[in-house]
Amino acid sequence: MSTDANTALIQDAYADFQKGDIASLLDRLTDDVVWTTPYPPEIVPHGGSRTGKDGVQLFFEQLARGYEITKFDPREFISSGDYVVALVTIAGHARETGVAAAEDTAHVFRIRNGKVSEFREYADARSIVAAYAPQAVEARA
């Protein structure tokens, strides 16, 4: 798959996400996909690492239940070989606390045979952790 095709795959997956079409997004993943975010799962339900399409489906279910996204802006794509990096601005709030969070993230995707085999998010997790557990962040200050 060319780097342009890899970038198009990721852009299509983001479009699926923004439309709420998680089934189509999951079809773009390998069966053994590894999906990792930097958030501690004991605080942020959609945090940590998951394996397989069922694990990624659970990630999106936990994300939808716990966090309302008000801005999702994948603004730049960098492709090299089997990897695509997307620079993304995300804003929203934790549903339980109502506390807002915003972050600039780097999403790194690995492509295998025309599908996403790995996703890893790189972000300063403090904003999201503070939205879910403001008292935990205050205690560390």
Side-chain angles (χ1 to χ4, degrees):
M1 191 172 231
S2 74
T3 56
D4 288 343
N6 288 347
T7 299
L9 171 70
I10 301 311
Q11 290 170 331
D12 291 344
Y14 281 138
D16 292 338
F17 173 70
Q18 290 175 305
K19 291 184 293 193
D21 187 357
I22 302 306
S24 291
L25 189 154
L26 292 172
D27 286 342
R28 300 180 194 282
L29 310 179
T30 62
D31 290 338
D32 63 345
V33 64
V34 176
W35 196 272
T36 305
T37 67
Y39 315 112
E42 64 276 8
I43 297 173
V44 179
H46 64 272
S49 193
R50 290 165 177 74
T51 304
K53 290 182 181 182
D54 289 344
V56 176
Q57 168 115 20
L58 178 61
F59 163 84
F60 283 111
E61 289 170 0
Q62 290 173 320
L63 176 64
R65 276 195 306 270
Y67 195 77
E68 182 176 348
I69 295 174
T70 56
K71 179 179 184 177
F72 186 84
D73 183 22
R75 63 188 186 284
E76 190 170 342
F77 297 87
I78 304 148
S79 182
S80 179
D82 294 338
Y83 289 90
V84 176
V85 176
L87 303 180
V88 183
T89 298
I90 303 170
H93 64 270
R95 292 183 190 279
E96 186 174 310
T97 66
V99 175
E103 61 184 348
D104 289 314
T105 69
H107 292 171
V108 178
F109 297 87
R110 186 172 191 175
I111 312 302
R112 185 176 73 227
N113 299 323
K115 294 195 172 205
V116 174
S117 64
E118 183 179 2
F119 166 85
R120 184 171 294 271
E121 180 177 0
Y122 293 90
D124 181 348
R126 288 179 293 185
S127 176
I128 299 296
V129 169
Y132 278 87
Q135 70 285 357
V137 174
E138 290 169 8
R140 291 182 180 168

